[in-house]
């Protein structure tokens, strides 16, 4: 278990450092900024690369919603849920601390720090209802792809590609709405450094992804029957 938790810690650290780091450091860099498309791809690449690296060790969840969805779907023991969640959140916080030091290294303020939000803190000023629905639906389909691509009947070795591309697509759709969470750990790390509004809105980015993941976990086994 200690090796599995270490893998989840470092894997989630990589996801937040690569995904949020691309948003904070590279998205709007003068002349060569990667924008929404680049940030979306960065998040997908973090999952794809880590799935190959630590998938055989921990399953490469990197996300409390994924762990819950897999547990509801009968793919993961409930008794290990809290341990995985703790490792994932700690990895996200560690990544955010590293990113904070880097981002302030030129004297800049951290600003929104890639935090997730709704209302005035949504990139497109989307209201609470739209943000909640977006996070539920996007997480639902993320888990459907994860459960399907890792099923016994699926082609072996291709799951990381499908999952990474799915996360890229999710970001292409939903960055304008919530800055895209679908991952409570990813939301928690940056929010702790921003404080204020980011922490007050953090509840949505736990509740909505967990609901979407649980729905997929409950539905997918019925499709396999």
């Amino acid at each position: 278990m200690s090796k599995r938790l270490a893998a989840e810690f470092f894997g989630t650290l990589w996801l937040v450092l690569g995904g949020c780091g691309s948003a904070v450091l590279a998205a709007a860099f003068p002349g060569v900024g990667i924008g929404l498309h680049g940030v979306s791809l960065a998040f997908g690449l973090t999952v794809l690369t880590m799935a190959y690296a630590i998938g055989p060790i921990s399953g490469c969840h990197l996300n409390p919603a994924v762990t819950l969805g897999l547990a509801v779907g009968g793919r993961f023991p409930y008794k290990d849920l809290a341990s995985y969640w703790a490792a994932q959140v700690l990895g996200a916080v560690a990544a955010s601390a590293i990113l904070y030091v880097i981002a302030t290294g030129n004297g800049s303020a951290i600003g929104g720090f890639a935090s997730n939000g709704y209302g005035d803190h949504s990139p497109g000023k989307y209201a609470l209802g739209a943000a909640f629905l977006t996070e539920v639906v996007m997480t639902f389909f993320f888990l459907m792809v994860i459960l399907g691509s890792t099923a016994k009947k699926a082609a072996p070795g291709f799951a990381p590609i499908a999952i990474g591309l799915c996360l890229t697509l999710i970001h292409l759709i939903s960055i304008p709405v919530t800055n895209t969470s679908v991952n409570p750990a990813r939301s928690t790390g940056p929010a702790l450094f921003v404080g204020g509004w980011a922490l007050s809105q953090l509840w949505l980015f736990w509740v909505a992804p967990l609901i979407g993941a649980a729905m997929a976990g409950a539905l997918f086994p019925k499709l396999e029957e």
Side-chain angles (χ1 to χ4, degrees):
M1 174 58 84
S2 62
K3 292 180 180 179
R4 292 163 61 196
L5 296 180
E8 285 295 305
F9 172 87
F10 287 112
T12 311
L13 189 157
W14 181 237
L15 181 147
V16 175
L17 187 60
C20 294
S22 70
V24 172
L25 303 174
F29 194 82
V32 293
I34 62 175
L36 182 153
H37 302 93
V39 173
S40 300
L41 182 60
F43 271 100
L45 288 173
T46 62
V47 171
L48 190 155
T49 52
M50 271 297 147
Y52 282 116
I54 67 169
I57 302 170
S58 69
C60 190
H61 298 185
L62 317 185
N63 180 338
V66 170
T67 304
L68 177 64
L70 292 173
V72 173
R75 306 271 193 94
F76 186 80
Y78 279 103
K79 66 181 180 64
D80 294 337
L81 201 65
S83 298
Y84 263 56
W85 282 14
Q88 292 156 359
V89 170
L90 288 173
V93 173
S96 298
I98 294 168
L99 182 57
Y100 178 87
V101 174
I102 296 171
T104 57
N106 62 359
S108 298
I110 61 171
F113 205 50
S115 291
N116 301 113
Y118 55 85
D120 289 340
H121 301 289
S122 156
K125 308 302 180 186
Y126 287 88
L128 169 61
F132 194 93
L133 180 61
T134 297
E135 289 293 326
V136 170
V137 172
M138 293 299 145
T139 312
F140 172 84
F141 280 102
F142 190 37
L143 265 294
M144 291 293 282
V145 170
I146 291 171
L147 289 163
S149 63
T150 57
K152 292 180 180 179
K153 295 180 181 179
F158 288 96
I161 299 172
I163 295 167
L165 289 175
C166 180
L167 190 60
T168 299
L169 175 59
I170 286 169
H171 279 77
L172 288 171
I173 297 167
S174 59
I175 283 178
V177 184
T178 62
N179 228 10
T180 308
S181 171
V182 302
N183 184 338
R186 169 263 183 271
S187 298
T188 300
L192 290 174
F193 286 82
V194 174
W197 68 265
L199 284 176
S200 69
Q201 295 190 355
L202 181 60
W203 67 270
L204 185 148
F205 304 104
W206 274 88
V207 175
L210 292 178
I211 290 173
M215 289 168 58
L219 174 63
F220 192 84
K222 299 183 183 303
L223 299 178
E224 286 187 299
E225 291 176 354

